[in-house]
Amino acid sequence: MHYTEIGFVNTKRMFEKAYGGGYAVPAYNFVNMEQLQAIVTACIETRSPVIIQASKRAREYVGREFVRHMAQAAMEVVRSSGSGIPCALHLDHGDSPDECASGIEDGFSSVMIDGSALPFDDNIRLTKEVADFAHRLDVTVEGELGTLSGVEEEVRRSTSAYTDPKLVEEFVKRSGVDSLAVSIGTAHGLNKVGMKPGGQLPPLRFDILEEIKRRLPGFPIVLHGSSALPAKYVDMVNCYGGRLSDVAGIPEEQIREAAASCVCKVNIASDALLTTTAVVRKVLSEDPGVFDTRKYLGPAREALVALYARKNREVLKSAGRV
Ligand code: G3H
Ligand code: ZN
């Protein structure tokens, strides 16, 4: 089914508005129903545009049919809310033209083709192949240049390479992408590579971001690996029997600064996983008699609504931008 029949929009207009308004559209990953419900509830409540996204691995875990129908249900809720918030359905970290095509078939309005591990020319070739067929259906395409370290969907990359700003114009021109994910120091997952206990990532490379902005005026940039991983939830996990170490997130003031510049889409996945785990652990250990899953998934969903709403209001500044 084409995404317009469901009610989704592609990211074009969303990003134009975000660029002009100095904010970023949240791109929240989902891997289960409660998470998706929380994303939709928070974005309706804060009147924020939203990109709901599922990765290739999430589609495998949840099941292609469930992702498709859950996303349709989410759109139905958005519609009936009367909030008028624009909502895109995005394939995160698509790794092949086939994966992107299957997403488009399922109603995705935007796809990422991640060729960032490939040599420059191969990355361009792969990205262009996807852009060519996606654009025929008015689906927007995100490419990536530069590599992020960390664990993404169980795949570990131990090295990171900052995006070379000198290459961005050629990449965008030759591949035909609509937005570009760049590497300026963010990292995927919970255990950011090379972190010592209690350590912090080096600050994001705003000099690189500014140079990219100068070379690609008005062009939407995407940040992956942007979870903040609040100490409050790391401590809660560890206090209730978990063992998380070497956790270091991206300070929210740096994400706020990037969102005010040319970054129009910010990807957040791990913050939600951490929050869910912390709340579930707390409920189960405070009340060992609990067996009804709603008794712990419900409170986790409430905590997620608060997390997403706060990100929209205080970090990405997407609240009220309908
Ligand atoms: O594609 C998804 C995001 O890049 C995940 O980043 O692990 O920091 O939440 P995160
Ligand atoms: Zn990512």
Side-chain angles (χ1 to χ4, degrees):
M1 193 188 288
H2 191 258
Y3 68 85
T4 49
E5 293 173 56
I6 306 166
F8 291 117
V9 295
N10 69 24
T11 55
K12 204 161 240 137
R13 182 76 195 116
M14 271 184 176
F15 289 166
E16 278 166 12
K17 286 184 74 178
Y19 203 107
Y23 64 93
V25 180
Y28 296 132
N29 290 69
F30 72 96
V31 294
N32 60 39
M33 183 189 72
E34 281 80 2
Q35 215 183 340
L36 183 56
Q37 290 172 323
I39 294 168
V40 166
T41 304
C43 291
I44 291 171
E45 185 183 300
T46 56
R47 298 183 64 250
S48 167
V50 62
I51 297 168
I52 56 178
Q53 58 184 18
S55 65
K56 175 189 157 75
R57 293 294 180 102
R59 291 178 84 209
E60 283 164 8
Y61 170 81
V62 177
R64 197 176 146 180
E65 300 78 8
F66 276 98
V67 167
R68 180 167 75 228
H69 289 286
M70 278 163 56
Q72 285 180 23
M75 191 62 231
E76 229 175 283
V77 171
V78 167
R79 266 192 164 147
S80 62
S81 72
S83 59
I85 60 169
C87 184
L89 177 62
H90 176 79
L91 174 69
D92 189 30
H93 291 285
D95 64 351
S96 68
D98 281 353
E99 181 70 19
C100 294
S102 90
I104 293 170
E105 224 173 86
D106 284 357
F108 283 65
S109 59
S110 173
V111 294
M112 175 193 193
I113 177 71
D114 184 355
S116 59
L118 299 173
F120 184 66
D121 281 314
D122 295 345
N123 187 1
I124 290 180
R125 242 189 313 276
L126 176 71
T127 308
K128 181 177 174 357
E129 184 184 338
V130 172
D132 283 349
F133 69 74
H135 287 163
R136 284 200 283 277
L137 293 161
D138 209 20
V139 168
T140 39
V141 177
E142 174 185 322
E144 180 165 343
L145 191 59
T147 49
L148 269 66
S149 63
V151 182
E152 170 72 22
E153 303 284 349
E154 295 155 36
V155 179
R156 173 177 284 277
R157 284 186 189 165
S158 52
T159 51
S160 74
Y162 292 120
T163 302
D164 180 352
K166 291 194 288 301
L167 298 175
V168 295
E169 292 137 296
E170 185 183 348
F171 185 86
V172 166
K173 201 164 168 213
R174 284 178 56 201
S175 67
V177 278
D178 304 284
S179 61
L180 183 66
V182 298
S183 174
I184 59 165
T186 58
H188 284 124
L190 208 56
N191 293 75
K192 313 292 190 190
V193 172
M195 286 300 99
K196 303 275 179 298
Q200 275 217 328
L201 284 173
L204 298 185
R205 290 287 303 272
F206 282 99
D207 56 326
I208 296 179
L209 189 67
E210 284 310 305
E211 183 58 14
I212 292 171
K213 183 181 181 185
R214 194 185 68 75
R215 287 172 179 267
L216 294 173
F219 192 81
I221 299 303
V222 176
L223 273 195
H224 283 243
S226 301
S227 282
L229 308 172
K232 169 184 155 188
Y233 285 122
V234 176
D235 293 347
M236 199 189 282
V237 169
N238 289 339
C239 168
Y240 292 102
R243 204 177 309 122
L244 295 178
S245 55
D246 300 355
V247 177
I250 309 297
E252 286 185 335
E253 56 278 13
Q254 293 186 35
I255 298 297
R256 198 177 295 126
E257 189 178 337
S261 179
C262 54
V263 170
C264 296
K265 172 175 180 271
V266 171
N267 284 16
I268 291 169
S270 299
D271 272 345
L273 302 178
L274 176 67
T275 302
T276 303
T277 303
V279 172
V280 169
R281 275 193 179 279
K282 181 173 191 292
V283 174
L284 291 179
S285 74
E286 282 180 350
D287 188 352
V290 166
F291 80 102
D292 181 337
T293 54
R294 291 169 293 187
K295 293 278 192 289
Y296 50 90
L297 294 178
R301 184 171 57 187
E302 272 170 42
L304 288 177
V305 173
L307 168 89
Y308 295 132
R310 201 185 58 76
K311 292 268 185 201
N312 294 350
R313 288 195 179 103
E314 295 173 20
V315 184
L316 309 177
K317 305 285 184 183
S318 62
R321 312 280 193 158
V322 177

PDB file of all heavy atoms in Angstrom, residues 183-213:
ATOM      1  N   SER A 183      28.563  11.767  10.696  1.00  0.00           N
ATOM      2  CA  SER A 183      29.240  11.338  11.911  1.00  0.00           C
ATOM      3  C   SER A 183      30.046  12.506  12.465  1.00  0.00           C
ATOM      4  O   SER A 183      31.048  12.922  11.873  1.00  0.00           O
ATOM      5  CB  SER A 183      30.151  10.154  11.565  1.00  0.00           C
ATOM      6  OG  SER A 183      30.918   9.797  12.679  1.00  0.00           O
ATOM      7  N   ILE A 184      29.577  13.041  13.597  1.00  0.00           N
ATOM      8  CA  ILE A 184      30.302  14.169  14.221  1.00  0.00           C
ATOM      9  C   ILE A 184      30.617  13.845  15.686  1.00  0.00           C
ATOM     10  O   ILE A 184      30.864  14.733  16.484  1.00  0.00           O
ATOM     11  CB  ILE A 184      29.514  15.501  14.117  1.00  0.00           C
ATOM     12  CG1 ILE A 184      28.127  15.386  14.794  1.00  0.00           C
ATOM     13  CG2 ILE A 184      29.382  15.954  12.668  1.00  0.00           C
ATOM     14  CD1 ILE A 184      27.468  16.740  15.056  1.00  0.00           C
ATOM     15  N   GLY A 185      30.538  12.549  16.032  1.00  0.00           N
ATOM     16  CA  GLY A 185      30.922  12.162  17.388  1.00  0.00           C
ATOM     17  C   GLY A 185      29.839  11.460  18.185  1.00  0.00           C
ATOM     18  O   GLY A 185      30.091  11.029  19.317  1.00  0.00           O
ATOM     19  N   THR A 186      28.631  11.350  17.627  1.00  0.00           N
ATOM     20  CA  THR A 186      27.620  10.561  18.339  1.00  0.00           C
ATOM     21  C   THR A 186      27.945   9.081  18.111  1.00  0.00           C
ATOM     22  O   THR A 186      28.725   8.730  17.224  1.00  0.00           O
ATOM     23  CB  THR A 186      26.197  10.865  17.827  1.00  0.00           C
ATOM     24  OG1 THR A 186      26.137  10.594  16.422  1.00  0.00           O
ATOM     25  CG2 THR A 186      25.812  12.304  18.091  1.00  0.00           C
ATOM     26  N   ALA A 187      27.338   8.214  18.909  1.00  0.00           N
ATOM     27  CA  ALA A 187      27.622   6.778  18.780  1.00  0.00           C
ATOM     28  C   ALA A 187      26.377   5.982  19.146  1.00  0.00           C
ATOM     29  O   ALA A 187      25.592   6.401  19.998  1.00  0.00           O
ATOM     30  CB  ALA A 187      28.778   6.393  19.696  1.00  0.00           C
ATOM     31  N   HIS A 188      26.223   4.849  18.512  1.00  0.00           N
ATOM     32  CA  HIS A 188      25.057   4.009  18.766  1.00  0.00           C
ATOM     33  C   HIS A 188      25.157   3.267  20.101  1.00  0.00           C
ATOM     34  O   HIS A 188      26.252   2.931  20.544  1.00  0.00           O
ATOM     35  CB  HIS A 188      24.911   2.948  17.661  1.00  0.00           C
ATOM     36  CG  HIS A 188      24.371   3.494  16.376  1.00  0.00           C
ATOM     37  ND1 HIS A 188      25.028   3.370  15.183  1.00  0.00           N
ATOM     38  CD2 HIS A 188      23.223   4.154  16.101  1.00  0.00           C
ATOM     39  CE1 HIS A 188      24.301   3.927  14.218  1.00  0.00           C
ATOM     40  NE2 HIS A 188      23.205   4.425  14.753  1.00  0.00           N
ATOM     41  N   GLY A 189      24.006   2.975  20.674  1.00  0.00           N
ATOM     42  CA  GLY A 189      23.929   2.024  21.781  1.00  0.00           C
ATOM     43  C   GLY A 189      24.233   2.610  23.138  1.00  0.00           C
ATOM     44  O   GLY A 189      24.349   3.821  23.329  1.00  0.00           O
ATOM     45  N   LEU A 190      24.393   1.696  24.089  1.00  0.00           N
ATOM     46  CA  LEU A 190      24.511   2.058  25.491  1.00  0.00           C
ATOM     47  C   LEU A 190      25.963   2.224  25.923  1.00  0.00           C
ATOM     48  O   LEU A 190      26.299   3.127  26.662  1.00  0.00           O
ATOM     49  CB  LEU A 190      23.873   0.918  26.308  1.00  0.00           C
ATOM     50  CG  LEU A 190      23.282   1.230  27.648  1.00  0.00           C
ATOM     51  CD1 LEU A 190      22.233   2.311  27.553  1.00  0.00           C
ATOM     52  CD2 LEU A 190      22.681  -0.040  28.246  1.00  0.00           C
ATOM     53  N   ASN A 191      26.777   1.309  25.471  1.00  0.00           N
ATOM     54  CA  ASN A 191      28.176   1.338  25.866  1.00  0.00           C
ATOM     55  C   ASN A 191      28.969   2.006  24.761  1.00  0.00           C
ATOM     56  O   ASN A 191      29.408   1.370  23.816  1.00  0.00           O
ATOM     57  CB  ASN A 191      28.706  -0.078  26.104  1.00  0.00           C
ATOM     58  CG  ASN A 191      28.040  -0.710  27.298  1.00  0.00           C
ATOM     59  OD1 ASN A 191      26.895  -1.112  27.203  1.00  0.00           O
ATOM     60  ND2 ASN A 191      28.741  -0.787  28.397  1.00  0.00           N
ATOM     61  N   LYS A 192      29.086   3.297  24.869  1.00  0.00           N
ATOM     62  CA  LYS A 192      29.810   4.027  23.843  1.00  0.00           C
ATOM     63  C   LYS A 192      31.281   3.587  23.897  1.00  0.00           C
ATOM     64  O   LYS A 192      31.894   3.541  24.947  1.00  0.00           O
ATOM     65  CB  LYS A 192      29.666   5.546  24.032  1.00  0.00           C
ATOM     66  CG  LYS A 192      28.231   6.020  24.280  1.00  0.00           C
ATOM     67  CD  LYS A 192      27.308   5.857  23.076  1.00  0.00           C
ATOM     68  CE  LYS A 192      25.974   6.572  23.291  1.00  0.00           C
ATOM     69  NZ  LYS A 192      24.955   6.264  22.283  1.00  0.00           N
ATOM     70  N   VAL A 193      31.778   3.239  22.751  1.00  0.00           N
ATOM     71  CA  VAL A 193      33.102   2.615  22.666  1.00  0.00           C
ATOM     72  C   VAL A 193      34.180   3.487  23.297  1.00  0.00           C
ATOM     73  O   VAL A 193      34.226   4.690  23.118  1.00  0.00           O
ATOM     74  CB  VAL A 193      33.446   2.355  21.186  1.00  0.00           C
ATOM     75  CG1 VAL A 193      34.885   1.880  21.022  1.00  0.00           C
ATOM     76  CG2 VAL A 193      32.498   1.314  20.629  1.00  0.00           C
ATOM     77  N   GLY A 194      35.046   2.823  24.058  1.00  0.00           N
ATOM     78  CA  GLY A 194      36.207   3.516  24.610  1.00  0.00           C
ATOM     79  C   GLY A 194      35.922   4.285  25.883  1.00  0.00           C
ATOM     80  O   GLY A 194      36.791   4.972  26.402  1.00  0.00           O
ATOM     81  N   MET A 195      34.697   4.156  26.419  1.00  0.00           N
ATOM     82  CA  MET A 195      34.373   4.906  27.623  1.00  0.00           C
ATOM     83  C   MET A 195      34.945   4.232  28.866  1.00  0.00           C
ATOM     84  O   MET A 195      34.800   3.036  29.054  1.00  0.00           O
ATOM     85  CB  MET A 195      32.842   4.988  27.786  1.00  0.00           C
ATOM     86  CG  MET A 195      32.188   5.939  26.832  1.00  0.00           C
ATOM     87  SD  MET A 195      32.801   7.607  27.039  1.00  0.00           S
ATOM     88  CE  MET A 195      33.980   7.684  25.715  1.00  0.00           C
ATOM     89  N   LYS A 196      35.558   5.013  29.694  1.00  0.00           N
ATOM     90  CA  LYS A 196      35.975   4.528  31.009  1.00  0.00           C
ATOM     91  C   LYS A 196      34.771   4.705  31.937  1.00  0.00           C
ATOM     92  O   LYS A 196      33.919   5.543  31.664  1.00  0.00           O
ATOM     93  CB  LYS A 196      37.139   5.379  31.534  1.00  0.00           C
ATOM     94  CG  LYS A 196      38.343   5.408  30.604  1.00  0.00           C
ATOM     95  CD  LYS A 196      39.239   4.201  30.860  1.00  0.00           C
ATOM     96  CE  LYS A 196      40.434   4.155  29.951  1.00  0.00           C
ATOM     97  NZ  LYS A 196      40.145   4.049  28.529  1.00  0.00           N
ATOM     98  N   PRO A 197      34.713   3.922  33.044  1.00  0.00           N
ATOM     99  CA  PRO A 197      33.582   4.117  33.949  1.00  0.00           C
ATOM    100  C   PRO A 197      33.444   5.586  34.341  1.00  0.00           C
ATOM    101  O   PRO A 197      34.433   6.236  34.689  1.00  0.00           O
ATOM    102  CB  PRO A 197      33.957   3.258  35.167  1.00  0.00           C
ATOM    103  CG  PRO A 197      34.911   2.242  34.630  1.00  0.00           C
ATOM    104  CD  PRO A 197      35.624   2.877  33.470  1.00  0.00           C
ATOM    105  N   GLY A 198      32.228   6.093  34.225  1.00  0.00           N
ATOM    106  CA  GLY A 198      31.960   7.485  34.586  1.00  0.00           C
ATOM    107  C   GLY A 198      32.507   8.480  33.565  1.00  0.00           C
ATOM    108  O   GLY A 198      32.425   9.682  33.760  1.00  0.00           O
ATOM    109  N   GLY A 199      33.059   7.987  32.480  1.00  0.00           N
ATOM    110  CA  GLY A 199      33.659   8.879  31.488  1.00  0.00           C
ATOM    111  C   GLY A 199      32.619   9.560  30.619  1.00  0.00           C
ATOM    112  O   GLY A 199      31.441   9.271  30.708  1.00  0.00           O
ATOM    113  N   GLN A 200      33.090  10.447  29.807  1.00  0.00           N
ATOM    114  CA  GLN A 200      32.192  11.168  28.899  1.00  0.00           C
ATOM    115  C   GLN A 200      32.768  11.147  27.503  1.00  0.00           C
ATOM    116  O   GLN A 200      33.985  11.144  27.316  1.00  0.00           O
ATOM    117  CB  GLN A 200      32.072  12.623  29.344  1.00  0.00           C
ATOM    118  CG  GLN A 200      31.021  12.831  30.401  1.00  0.00           C
ATOM    119  CD  GLN A 200      30.311  14.152  30.197  1.00  0.00           C
ATOM    120  OE1 GLN A 200      30.892  15.111  29.719  1.00  0.00           O
ATOM    121  NE2 GLN A 200      29.047  14.188  30.551  1.00  0.00           N
ATOM    122  N   LEU A 201      31.877  11.128  26.532  1.00  0.00           N
ATOM    123  CA  LEU A 201      32.344  11.209  25.152  1.00  0.00           C
ATOM    124  C   LEU A 201      32.972  12.577  24.915  1.00  0.00           C
ATOM    125  O   LEU A 201      32.553  13.561  25.517  1.00  0.00           O
ATOM    126  CB  LEU A 201      31.165  11.072  24.198  1.00  0.00           C
ATOM    127  CG  LEU A 201      30.583   9.687  24.001  1.00  0.00           C
ATOM    128  CD1 LEU A 201      29.319   9.789  23.167  1.00  0.00           C
ATOM    129  CD2 LEU A 201      31.580   8.773  23.311  1.00  0.00           C
ATOM    130  N   PRO A 202      33.955  12.642  24.021  1.00  0.00           N
ATOM    131  CA  PRO A 202      34.440  13.975  23.664  1.00  0.00           C
ATOM    132  C   PRO A 202      33.305  14.773  23.042  1.00  0.00           C
ATOM    133  O   PRO A 202      32.380  14.180  22.482  1.00  0.00           O
ATOM    134  CB  PRO A 202      35.541  13.692  22.638  1.00  0.00           C
ATOM    135  CG  PRO A 202      35.423  12.268  22.264  1.00  0.00           C
ATOM    136  CD  PRO A 202      34.618  11.564  23.305  1.00  0.00           C
ATOM    137  N   PRO A 203      33.333  16.096  23.145  1.00  0.00           N
ATOM    138  CA  PRO A 203      32.220  16.891  22.614  1.00  0.00           C
ATOM    139  C   PRO A 203      32.021  16.656  21.123  1.00  0.00           C
ATOM    140  O   PRO A 203      32.970  16.317  20.414  1.00  0.00           O
ATOM    141  CB  PRO A 203      32.639  18.330  22.867  1.00  0.00           C
ATOM    142  CG  PRO A 203      33.935  18.299  23.573  1.00  0.00           C
ATOM    143  CD  PRO A 203      34.389  16.898  23.739  1.00  0.00           C
ATOM    144  N   LEU A 204      30.790  16.846  20.679  1.00  0.00           N
ATOM    145  CA  LEU A 204      30.488  16.697  19.253  1.00  0.00           C
ATOM    146  C   LEU A 204      31.314  17.701  18.459  1.00  0.00           C
ATOM    147  O   LEU A 204      31.609  18.804  18.929  1.00  0.00           O
ATOM    148  CB  LEU A 204      28.994  16.927  18.996  1.00  0.00           C
ATOM    149  CG  LEU A 204      28.033  15.952  19.680  1.00  0.00           C
ATOM    150  CD1 LEU A 204      26.594  16.240  19.241  1.00  0.00           C
ATOM    151  CD2 LEU A 204      28.396  14.506  19.391  1.00  0.00           C
ATOM    152  N   ARG A 205      31.627  17.327  17.217  1.00  0.00           N
ATOM    153  CA  ARG A 205      32.463  18.184  16.362  1.00  0.00           C
ATOM    154  C   ARG A 205      31.590  19.200  15.606  1.00  0.00           C
ATOM    155  O   ARG A 205      31.239  19.005  14.442  1.00  0.00           O
ATOM    156  CB  ARG A 205      33.259  17.303  15.402  1.00  0.00           C
ATOM    157  CG  ARG A 205      34.343  16.477  16.091  1.00  0.00           C
ATOM    158  CD  ARG A 205      35.530  17.320  16.523  1.00  0.00           C
ATOM    159  NE  ARG A 205      36.124  18.050  15.406  1.00  0.00           N
ATOM    160  CZ  ARG A 205      37.070  17.577  14.625  1.00  0.00           C
ATOM    161  NH1 ARG A 205      37.580  16.379  14.844  1.00  0.00           N
ATOM    162  NH2 ARG A 205      37.549  18.289  13.622  1.00  0.00           N
ATOM    163  N   PHE A 206      31.265  20.275  16.327  1.00  0.00           N
ATOM    164  CA  PHE A 206      30.421  21.313  15.701  1.00  0.00           C
ATOM    165  C   PHE A 206      31.154  22.023  14.561  1.00  0.00           C
ATOM    166  O   PHE A 206      30.525  22.590  13.679  1.00  0.00           O
ATOM    167  CB  PHE A 206      29.924  22.298  16.755  1.00  0.00           C
ATOM    168  CG  PHE A 206      28.778  21.723  17.547  1.00  0.00           C
ATOM    169  CD1 PHE A 206      28.989  21.165  18.797  1.00  0.00           C
ATOM    170  CD2 PHE A 206      27.495  21.700  17.016  1.00  0.00           C
ATOM    171  CE1 PHE A 206      27.939  20.599  19.508  1.00  0.00           C
ATOM    172  CE2 PHE A 206      26.439  21.140  17.719  1.00  0.00           C
ATOM    173  CZ  PHE A 206      26.668  20.584  18.964  1.00  0.00           C
ATOM    174  N   ASP A 207      32.477  21.961  14.589  1.00  0.00           N
ATOM    175  CA  ASP A 207      33.223  22.567  13.472  1.00  0.00           C
ATOM    176  C   ASP A 207      32.927  21.811  12.173  1.00  0.00           C
ATOM    177  O   ASP A 207      32.717  22.412  11.113  1.00  0.00           O
ATOM    178  CB  ASP A 207      34.736  22.583  13.765  1.00  0.00           C
ATOM    179  CG  ASP A 207      35.292  21.194  14.082  1.00  0.00           C
ATOM    180  OD1 ASP A 207      34.569  20.368  14.687  1.00  0.00           O
ATOM    181  OD2 ASP A 207      36.438  20.897  13.694  1.00  0.00           O
ATOM    182  N   ILE A 208      32.830  20.487  12.274  1.00  0.00           N
ATOM    183  CA  ILE A 208      32.510  19.686  11.078  1.00  0.00           C
ATOM    184  C   ILE A 208      31.079  19.977  10.634  1.00  0.00           C
ATOM    185  O   ILE A 208      30.796  20.173   9.452  1.00  0.00           O
ATOM    186  CB  ILE A 208      32.703  18.174  11.353  1.00  0.00           C
ATOM    187  CG1 ILE A 208      34.169  17.876  11.653  1.00  0.00           C
ATOM    188  CG2 ILE A 208      32.196  17.327  10.174  1.00  0.00           C
ATOM    189  CD1 ILE A 208      34.474  16.410  11.970  1.00  0.00           C
ATOM    190  N   LEU A 209      30.178  20.022  11.605  1.00  0.00           N
ATOM    191  CA  LEU A 209      28.767  20.281  11.275  1.00  0.00           C
ATOM    192  C   LEU A 209      28.609  21.631  10.573  1.00  0.00           C
ATOM    193  O   LEU A 209      27.887  21.754   9.570  1.00  0.00           O
ATOM    194  CB  LEU A 209      27.911  20.232  12.554  1.00  0.00           C
ATOM    195  CG  LEU A 209      26.408  20.277  12.330  1.00  0.00           C
ATOM    196  CD1 LEU A 209      25.923  19.009  11.617  1.00  0.00           C
ATOM    197  CD2 LEU A 209      25.655  20.451  13.649  1.00  0.00           C
ATOM    198  N   GLU A 210      29.295  22.631  11.086  1.00  0.00           N
ATOM    199  CA  GLU A 210      29.194  23.969  10.482  1.00  0.00           C
ATOM    200  C   GLU A 210      29.747  23.991   9.058  1.00  0.00           C
ATOM    201  O   GLU A 210      29.208  24.653   8.179  1.00  0.00           O
ATOM    202  CB  GLU A 210      29.916  25.013  11.358  1.00  0.00           C
ATOM    203  CG  GLU A 210      29.137  25.401  12.606  1.00  0.00           C
ATOM    204  CD  GLU A 210      27.671  25.773  12.324  1.00  0.00           C
ATOM    205  OE1 GLU A 210      27.427  26.663  11.491  1.00  0.00           O
ATOM    206  OE2 GLU A 210      26.760  25.153  12.924  1.00  0.00           O
ATOM    207  N   GLU A 211      30.819  23.244   8.834  1.00  0.00           N
ATOM    208  CA  GLU A 211      31.407  23.178   7.493  1.00  0.00           C
ATOM    209  C   GLU A 211      30.454  22.451   6.525  1.00  0.00           C
ATOM    210  O   GLU A 211      30.302  22.851   5.366  1.00  0.00           O
ATOM    211  CB  GLU A 211      32.775  22.471   7.577  1.00  0.00           C
ATOM    212  CG  GLU A 211      33.543  22.374   6.277  1.00  0.00           C
ATOM    213  CD  GLU A 211      33.849  23.719   5.603  1.00  0.00           C
ATOM    214  OE1 GLU A 211      33.714  24.767   6.255  1.00  0.00           O
ATOM    215  OE2 GLU A 211      34.195  23.705   4.397  1.00  0.00           O
ATOM    216  N   ILE A 212      29.789  21.419   7.025  1.00  0.00           N
ATOM    217  CA  ILE A 212      28.798  20.697   6.202  1.00  0.00           C
ATOM    218  C   ILE A 212      27.649  21.652   5.860  1.00  0.00           C
ATOM    219  O   ILE A 212      27.196  21.731   4.714  1.00  0.00           O
ATOM    220  CB  ILE A 212      28.277  19.439   6.952  1.00  0.00           C
ATOM    221  CG1 ILE A 212      29.403  18.407   7.092  1.00  0.00           C
ATOM    222  CG2 ILE A 212      27.058  18.839   6.237  1.00  0.00           C
ATOM    223  CD1 ILE A 212      29.079  17.233   7.997  1.00  0.00           C
ATOM    224  N   LYS A 213      27.220  22.405   6.839  1.00  0.00           N
ATOM    225  CA  LYS A 213      26.122  23.364   6.624  1.00  0.00           C
ATOM    226  C   LYS A 213      26.518  24.420   5.579  1.00  0.00           C
ATOM    227  O   LYS A 213      25.728  24.801   4.725  1.00  0.00           O
ATOM    228  CB  LYS A 213      25.784  24.034   7.970  1.00  0.00           C
ATOM    229  CG  LYS A 213      24.625  24.983   7.911  1.00  0.00           C
ATOM    230  CD  LYS A 213      24.384  25.598   9.280  1.00  0.00           C
ATOM    231  CE  LYS A 213      23.191  26.530   9.236  1.00  0.00           C
ATOM    232  NZ  LYS A 213      22.997  27.229  10.507  1.00  0.00           N
TER     233      LYS A 213
END
